[in-house]
């Protein structure tokens, strides 16, 4: 009997429990629990990645800060050196000499005393007459030097090229002898050139000869006068061409 009563009491206990009848609700609660646990892990993972990035950025900023501190220290050292150099230059007498230019002393002008006149006009300023005389002297020296230099240059000699036609009397005239007579005329400023025989007609040939003359020393009139002296060979002389050189 006691066992039966115990068994009945267990059944009665189960009859009073309704957990198995609310299984769906408990399953939902369990699901929510695990989903919450997974979400917390994901959040903690994302927080961990964010913290790592923040740490790396802080390290970079620390390195940059150290670099800036180093640059500032170098600039301070350079500024200190510059201040010391400026101070030394200010104390140096050479700097003072350069800073203060020596005043230019004007040359004293000697006044000229005039015997007759008022006392106020006794001293007359010549307004730098000494400077004018010096400038005039330098100008004259330059003119003399230019004139001397110009006189050393050879003067330009005017020359002319003349082509002469020397005609014989007839076809029996010895043209070789005639050319010898022409070239025998020699004078200062005359230079004979090339020559050739040019037929005129009826077996007669004329001598065409070139010469260069200095205009100031030799003219065509003098040449004709000298050449016509050989009247046994030369009948006439004509200027075929005349050109300035």
């Amino acid at each position: 009997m006691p066992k039966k009563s115990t068994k009945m009491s267990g059944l009665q206990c189960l009859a009073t429990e309704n957990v198995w009848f609310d299984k769906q609700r408990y399953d939902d609660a369990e699901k929510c629990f695990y989903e919450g646990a997974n979400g917390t892990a994901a959040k903690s993972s994302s927080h961990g990645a964010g913290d790592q990035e923040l740490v790396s950025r802080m390290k970079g900023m620390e390195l940059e800060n150290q670099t800036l501190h180093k640059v500032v220290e170098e600039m301070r050292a350079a500024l200190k050196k510059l201040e010391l150099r400026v101070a030394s230059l200010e104390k140096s007498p050479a700097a003072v000499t350069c800073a203060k230019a020596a005043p230019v002393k004007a040359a004293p002008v000697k006044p000229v005393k005039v015997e007759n006149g008022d006392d106020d006009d006794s001293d007359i300023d010549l307004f730098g007459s000494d400077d004018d005389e010096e400038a005039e002297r330098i100008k004259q020296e330059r003119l003399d030097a230019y004139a001397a230099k110009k006189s050393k240059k050879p003067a330009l000699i005017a020359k002319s090229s003349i082509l002469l036609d020397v005609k014989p009397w007839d076809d029996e005239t010895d043209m070789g002898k005639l050319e010898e007579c022409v070239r025998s005329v020699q004078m200062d400023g005359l230079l004979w050139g090339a020559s050739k025989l040019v037929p005129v007609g009826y077996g007669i040939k004329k001598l065409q000869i070139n010469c260069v003359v200095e205009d100031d020393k030799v003219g065509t009139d003098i040449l004709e006068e000298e050449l016509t002296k050989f009247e046994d060979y030369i009948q006439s002389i004509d200027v075929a061409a005349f050109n300035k050189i």
Side-chain angles (χ1 to χ4, degrees), residues 168-175 201-205:
W169 287 102
D170 50 29
D171 59 344
E172 296 181 355
T173 303
D174 187 354
M175 298 302 295
Y202 303 102
I204 301 174
K205 297 180 179 181

Side-chain angles (χ1 to χ4, degrees), residues 1-13:
M1 288 300 293
K3 289 182 180 180
K4 185 175 180 180
S5 61
T6 304
K7 185 176 181 181
M8 288 301 292
S9 61
L11 290 172
Q12 288 175 357
C13 291

Side-chain angles (χ1 to χ4, degrees), residues 16-195:
T16 57
E17 294 293 335
N18 57 2
V19 64
W20 300 109
F21 299 103
D22 295 335
K23 184 176 183 301
Q24 185 64 36
R25 184 165 62 84
Y26 287 106
D27 290 341
D28 293 338
E30 184 180 5
K31 183 179 179 182
C32 289
F33 173 76
Y34 285 113
E35 285 181 354
N38 291 333
T40 304
K43 287 183 179 179
S44 64
S45 177
S46 62
H47 282 303
D51 293 341
Q52 186 176 1
E53 182 181 358
L54 182 61
V55 169
S56 63
R57 290 181 62 183
M58 290 181 65
K59 289 182 178 180
M61 292 179 67
E62 288 179 357
L63 292 175
E64 185 177 356
N65 192 16
Q66 292 177 1
T67 304
L68 289 174
H69 276 297
K70 185 177 180 181
V71 173
V72 171
E73 291 298 329
E74 291 178 354
M75 292 181 66
R76 286 178 178 175
L79 182 60
K80 188 66 175 178
K81 291 181 180 179
L82 184 60
E83 290 177 352
L84 292 175
R85 181 169 179 80
V86 171
S88 63
L89 289 175
E90 289 178 352
K91 293 178 181 179
S92 177
V96 177
T97 305
C98 295
K100 297 181 179 180
V104 180
K105 294 182 179 180
V109 179
K110 296 181 179 180
V112 178
K113 293 183 179 180
V114 181
E115 294 179 358
N116 297 326
D118 298 334
D119 295 338
D120 296 337
D121 298 333
S122 60
D123 297 337
I124 299 176
D125 188 3
L126 296 180
F127 300 101
S129 59
D130 294 339
D131 295 339
D132 295 339
E133 292 178 358
E134 182 67 16
E136 187 67 24
R137 184 184 63 81
I138 294 174
K139 180 179 178 181
Q140 187 62 35
E141 288 179 356
R142 291 179 179 176
L143 290 174
D144 295 341
Y146 175 76
K149 184 177 180 180
K150 188 175 181 180
S151 63
K152 293 180 181 179
K153 292 184 178 179
L156 183 63
I157 300 175
K159 295 182 180 181
S160 301
S161 176
I162 304 174
L163 184 63
L164 298 176
D165 284 344
V166 183
K167 300 176 182 178
W169 287 102
D170 50 29
D171 59 344
E172 296 181 355
T173 303
D174 187 354
M175 298 302 295
K177 186 65 177 177
L178 184 145
E179 184 175 354
E180 288 181 4
C181 294
V182 171
R183 292 184 180 276
S184 65
V185 176
Q186 299 291 331
M187 61 182 68
D188 187 20
L190 172 62
L191 179 64
W192 294 107
S195 64

Side-chain angles (χ1 to χ4, degrees), residues 226-245:
E226 292 294 328
L227 292 175
T228 52
K229 291 179 179 180
F230 303 98
E231 55 186 10
D232 294 339
Y233 299 96
I234 299 174
Q235 177 192 6
S236 62
I237 300 171
D238 296 326
V239 178
F242 188 95
N243 297 312
K244 291 287 185 180
I245 300 177

